[in-house]
Amino acid sequence: MNLMLFGAPGAGKGTQAKFLIEKYNIPQISTGDILRAAIADKTEMGMEAKKFMDAGQLVPDSTIIGIIKDRLAEDDCKKGFILDGFPRTLPQAEALKELMENMGITLDKVISLNVPDSDIVERITGRRTSKVTGKIYHIKFNPPVDEKEEDLVQRADDTEETVTKRLAAYHEQTAPLIDFYKNMGVMVELDGTKEVSEVTKDMIEALA
Ligand code: AP5
Ligand code: ZN
């Protein structure tokens, strides 16, 4: 199954991807995670991307398309994959279409998690990630049982100031893709404001 999770920053893409990985035994491809790993490794690409990410802007298409091209060519993607946070611009969507055509594969579904902007700031500023397990938490909506054991960290771009810019980038550059995927007949829109487990249920139903 070749899937895409779509939605604004903080819509719950990473959270829901974890359930799909287990259910379908396919890898999650998060361009955000790949970029953060490159930053942690202090690679040239990572250092260049960091400037855009800290400013709440999108990383240039050429960098992102290169990342995806390499990642989709890896063996574990043969059984399917979950795209998370890619594509985010029309050129990225067109590049993906061409790449998948060349690979002889198709996109089964695009799941859009719809969450209004008014909910996003609280979700983003309250997000914490475990350094130990990589799990995504929220200080209010989804706190860990043992905070110390999880060694929680906050993402560098999860400030109130940056969120506003990320949301603006989403509306200007990414939201137009909704029509692109509607026209392809693969778009499913879900209410992302429900509880995590409810959203998972709706998503699994949509994929059945
Ligand atoms: P990326 O890492 O992709 O960030 P994002 O798209 O902004 O999305 P997030 O990871 O912030 O949110 P999410 O939807 O995964 O939500 P989560 O599940 O964590 O990208 C970061 C940056 O990298 C970009 O700004 C850009 O610079 C660059 N980049 C990445 N990809 C790019 C691309 N393709 N092109 C160009 N640049 C790119 O949940 C958020 C919080 O809400 C958590 O605390 C969670 O616990 C909570 N939560 C989740 N679901 C619920 C729920 N149902 N109810 C209550 N709380 C919930
Ligand atoms: Zn994410």
Side-chain angles (χ1 to χ4, degrees), residues 115-186:
V115 178
D117 285 9
S118 49
D119 287 2
I120 294 294
V121 176
E122 191 179 14
R123 279 204 190 184
I124 292 274
T125 51
R127 170 169 47 196
R128 300 291 183 274
T129 311
S130 166
K131 257 168 113 177
V132 182
T133 59
K135 277 193 185 148
I136 303 164
Y137 291 104
H138 191 283
I139 49 173
K140 184 166 152 195
F141 305 130
N142 182 24
V145 182
D146 186 338
E147 204 170 296
K148 280 220 174 69
E149 206 161 281
E150 294 277 357
D151 201 0
L152 299 183
V153 287
Q154 191 169 15
R155 261 170 53 176
D157 59 345
D158 277 355
T159 62
E160 204 167 329
E161 193 200 348
T162 313
V163 169
T164 315
K165 293 180 187 150
R166 285 161 62 193
L167 269 174
Y170 170 77
H171 287 295
E172 277 165 32
Q173 294 167 275
T174 309
L177 297 187
I178 295 174
D179 280 341
F180 183 92
Y181 289 110
K182 270 188 185 165
N183 291 338
M184 269 174 73
V186 289

Side-chain angles (χ1 to χ4, degrees), residues 2 65 69 72-73 78 81 93-107:
N2 303 320
I65 292 165
K69 207 171 168 187
L72 287 183
K78 290 208 171 74
F81 48 80
E94 273 155 3
L96 175 68
K97 192 164 175 266
E98 196 188 321
L99 207 59
M100 290 182 77
E101 271 166 16
N102 290 342
M103 291 169 79
I105 56 176
T106 51
L107 196 56

Side-chain angles (χ1 to χ4, degrees), residues 48-122:
E48 190 51 35
K50 188 177 185 322
K51 294 182 206 157
F52 294 95
M53 293 165 79
D54 286 348
Q57 292 168 0
L58 295 183
V59 172
D61 287 336
S62 55
T63 306
I64 299 291
I65 292 165
I67 289 175
I68 287 292
K69 207 171 168 187
D70 291 348
R71 184 64 187 90
L72 287 183
E74 285 179 42
D75 266 354
D76 62 336
C77 292
K78 290 208 171 74
K79 55 188 177 185
F81 48 80
I82 308 148
L83 293 169
D84 162 5
F86 173 89
R88 274 165 126 109
T89 63
L90 211 48
Q92 288 182 23
E94 273 155 3
L96 175 68
K97 192 164 175 266
E98 196 188 321
L99 207 59
M100 290 182 77
E101 271 166 16
N102 290 342
M103 291 169 79
I105 56 176
T106 51
L107 196 56
D108 293 300
K109 282 268 185 305
V110 176
I111 306 270
S112 175
L113 302 172
N114 296 347
V115 178
D117 285 9
S118 49
D119 287 2
I120 294 294
V121 176
E122 191 179 14

